[in-house]
Amino acid sequence: MRRTLEDIEAVVRERICRICTDRTITGECGLDNPSTCALFRLFPQVARAIQSTDSDDIRDYIQSIRAQVCSVCSEQAADGSCQSRQMVACALDAYLIPVIDAIEEAAGKKFDRSKVVKSPNSPPGKWAISR
């Protein structure tokens, strides 16, 4: 059964919002303006970018996200830099691996984490996305 975009978004919201550092003590979104969350503001592009990538290499997902999502995001500068990404204030970037997991699982696929590039500075068990 193919899930709708709304179904996939609900799965992602359930998984990501509950671990997001911007949530309040009551579990609500703590952003001043929740519609500014890049993950959900650009969710159709996020889902398309992830579903169009068939790889176990996180770098392929990052490339797809940068090309299909970041390129149309108002937060990204013309040179491709992004203050929000650099400050770890972009939920899409900060939670990319669990977002990929949620979308892939909703589509019946599994992302192989053994291919994730680990930063030498990452604590054990923490994943880092190479830039």
Side-chain angles (χ1 to χ4, degrees):
M1 177 180 100
R2 185 170 167 103
R3 291 189 176 203
T4 66
L5 183 62
E6 292 80 19
D7 292 340
I8 294 170
E9 183 175 344
V11 168
V12 173
R13 281 186 185 278
E14 168 62 26
R15 292 213 191 149
I16 303 307
C17 294
R18 70 179 166 168
I19 63 169
C20 181
T21 58
D22 287 320
R23 77 185 184 294
T24 65
I25 194 98
T26 60
E28 301 298 316
C29 183
L31 293 176
D32 291 336
N33 184 358
S35 66
T36 63
C37 177
L39 174 56
F40 296 108
R41 181 172 41 87
L42 299 169
F43 193 77
Q45 292 91 337
V46 171
R48 189 177 323 114
I50 291 171
Q51 290 178 321
S52 69
T53 305
D54 187 21
S55 177
D56 285 329
D57 189 333
I58 189 65
R59 292 170 290 197
D60 294 332
Y61 285 91
I62 294 169
Q63 181 179 15
S64 185
I65 291 291
R66 298 291 184 259
Q68 297 183 51
V69 183
C70 298
S71 66
V72 299
C73 181
S74 60
E75 297 293 319
Q76 181 171 280
D79 67 0
S81 65
C82 179
Q83 184 87 14
S84 292
R85 272 197 316 258
Q86 291 173 343
M87 295 175 60
V88 194
C90 173
L92 172 58
D93 201 65
Y95 301 107
L96 185 58
I97 293 173
V99 168
I100 292 169
D101 283 344
I103 291 174
E104 294 287 46
E105 286 175 26
K109 294 169 57 179
K110 181 86 170 130
F111 177 67
D112 182 0
R113 285 185 177 205
S114 69
K115 305 286 187 193
V116 173
V117 176
K118 282 196 169 188
S119 168
N121 299 325
S122 293
K126 295 288 183 185
W127 303 100
I129 299 170
S130 65
R131 301 210 194 277

